Amino acid sequence: MNGQPLTGQAPDTTAAPLRLGTRRSALAMAQSGMVAREVTRLTGRPVELVEITTYGDTSREALAQIGGTGVFVSALRDALLEGRIDFAVHSLKDLPTAAPEGLLLAAVPEREDSRDALVAREGLTLGELVEKLAGAGRPARIGTGSPRRMAQLNAWARERGDRLETVAIRGNVDTRIGFVASGELDAVVLATAGLNRLGRSAEITEHLDPELMVPAPGQGALAIECTAADTGLAAALAALDHAPTRVAVAAERALLATLEAGCSAPVAALAGWDHRSELRLEGVVGTVDGADLLKMSAHGPIVLDETAEQQAVALGRALAARLLDAGAAALMGERAR
């Protein structure tokens, strides 16, 4: 959450704490801690973090193998519906596009930096790394758990005539950066927002320009969910909502949903505002080896009123339809249903 802190109430130490469900990872805890402080500021009620282990946290399989969609979210949503927590914080890019009955996306706070970041040996940029290792007679080995990142990295290398090897990895930020520190990999690609929230932005050797690497739908944004029945809490959480962010990610997620692609599919989308009067959406679908990459964009004027989300969704669906007409389904492999 960026910008000035919201004015709120003094904490009421006698009130029962609100229970905020979060994954156990350092990044999830940092994100949830940020939200907890703002909710206390708004409501005057203390907030306690309830750590919940998700299937995505315990499985050692690659995300593409376990499906990706919802693996970091389902356990938190179950806890909400069962009344074990009052609200939950997710990385929005992990959130399935279909909302379960009984839950409400109460707020999408202002987005952090949406770009991907390179953490490379010797502080090198991507171009410098590839060039240096080409001189040593071998390809750069770059780790990521994302087919989307693999597709765009490999397409970039093919276009330049460079050699590059993408390596599928899992693990938290420490584990991933550790692959570079140990020399097992030459670089890893991570979300800039996560590194910023963990106070580790100094380890970034290059922010990857969206011209090279379009991010995942919703990357850099958070999602705050509660039950639809808890109207009082939903109203309080709504004060954390940032309308321009919510509308932009609605367009990105509509594209993803229309493509029927899961969170682990090689699909990228980024919506940005032109003076907050026109929304521009870019969508990318490709094969993991980078041999085929479809890039298209769409734009349209959107007024930030009660119809803004519907307009953004229409923009996302229209761009997805164009991508499908151009053969996107064949590039994604098996589509989510």
Side-chain angles (χ1 to χ4, degrees):
M1 282 162 293
N2 305 320
Q4 296 299 313
L6 294 164
T7 302
Q9 304 176 33
D12 180 0
T13 55
T14 64
L18 291 166
R19 300 160 299 167
L20 191 169
T22 177
R23 291 172 57 201
R24 297 174 182 268
S25 73
L27 176 55
M29 295 291 284
Q31 293 174 165
S32 295
M34 290 165 48
V35 173
R37 289 188 290 274
E38 292 296 337
V39 171
T40 295
R41 190 193 312 277
L42 283 168
T43 65
R45 292 180 64 178
V47 176
E48 65 176 16
L49 300 187
V50 179
E51 299 178 22
I52 294 175
T53 300
T54 71
Y55 180 69
D57 295 317
T58 58
S59 173
R60 293 298 92 201
E61 296 175 89
L63 286 182
Q65 292 177 313
I66 59 177
T69 305
V71 297
F72 295 116
V73 173
S74 296
L76 288 162
R77 285 179 158 176
D78 289 344
L80 268 175
L81 292 169
E82 293 164 9
R84 291 183 280 123
I85 58 175
D86 299 303
F87 65 113
V89 174
H90 315 281
S91 291
L92 200 143
K93 70 176 182 178
D94 293 334
L95 206 63
T97 53
E101 188 176 351
L103 295 186
L104 178 70
L105 182 56
V108 179
E110 187 172 0
R111 193 179 212 162
E112 242 279 11
D113 194 325
S114 64
R115 293 174 296 178
D116 286 297
L118 187 78
V119 178
R121 55 182 286 199
E122 302 170 27
L124 299 173
T125 66
L126 180 60
E128 292 167 346
L129 180 69
V130 169
E131 184 177 342
K132 180 170 184 174
L133 294 178
R138 71 173 181 88
R141 302 185 74 243
I142 301 178
T144 173
S146 163
R148 168 190 64 83
R149 289 174 178 146
M150 289 182 178
Q152 293 182 88
L153 283 170
N154 287 324
W156 174 85
R158 281 174 177 269
E159 186 177 343
R160 289 166 50 103
D162 289 328
R163 296 176 64 207
L164 183 151
E165 180 185 351
T166 52
V167 181
I169 57 172
R170 286 288 313 271
N172 60 27
V173 170
D174 281 330
T175 298
R176 295 182 186 218
I177 293 179
F179 290 134
V180 180
S182 68
E184 186 174 344
L185 294 173
D186 300 304
V188 291
V189 180
L190 302 162
T192 293
L195 293 170
N196 286 350
R197 288 173 178 143
L198 286 170
R200 302 186 67 167
S201 56
E203 295 174 71
I204 297 171
T205 59
E206 183 183 9
H207 292 286
L208 298 177
D209 190 285
E211 284 294 315
L212 184 162
M213 178 79 70
V214 178
Q219 183 161 303
L222 299 179
I224 305 175
E225 273 191 326
C226 68
T227 62
D230 196 343
T231 54
L233 179 58
L237 294 174
L240 296 175
D241 198 67
H242 184 249
T245 297
R246 190 180 187 109
V247 171
V249 299
E252 297 165 14
R253 286 166 57 77
L255 179 143
L256 185 68
T258 305
L259 291 175
E260 296 179 354
C263 299
S264 62
V267 173
L270 180 63
W273 289 93
D274 178 14
H275 306 298
R276 293 192 178 177
S277 60
E278 184 164 277
L279 192 67
R280 178 180 176 84
L281 175 64
E282 183 166 13
V284 178
V285 179
T287 55
V288 173
D289 63 3
D292 293 290
L293 201 70
L294 274 177
K295 274 191 176 186
M296 291 184 178
S297 63
H299 58 89
I302 292 181
V303 178
L304 285 174
D305 60 16
E306 65 277 1
T307 69
E309 273 191 83
Q310 295 174 355
Q311 296 174 60
V313 166
L315 186 70
R317 287 173 176 166
L319 182 55
R322 287 172 50 204
L323 286 164
L324 288 169
D325 286 344
L331 303 183
M332 291 186 295
E334 186 176 351
R335 299 166 74 191
R337 294 287 178 181

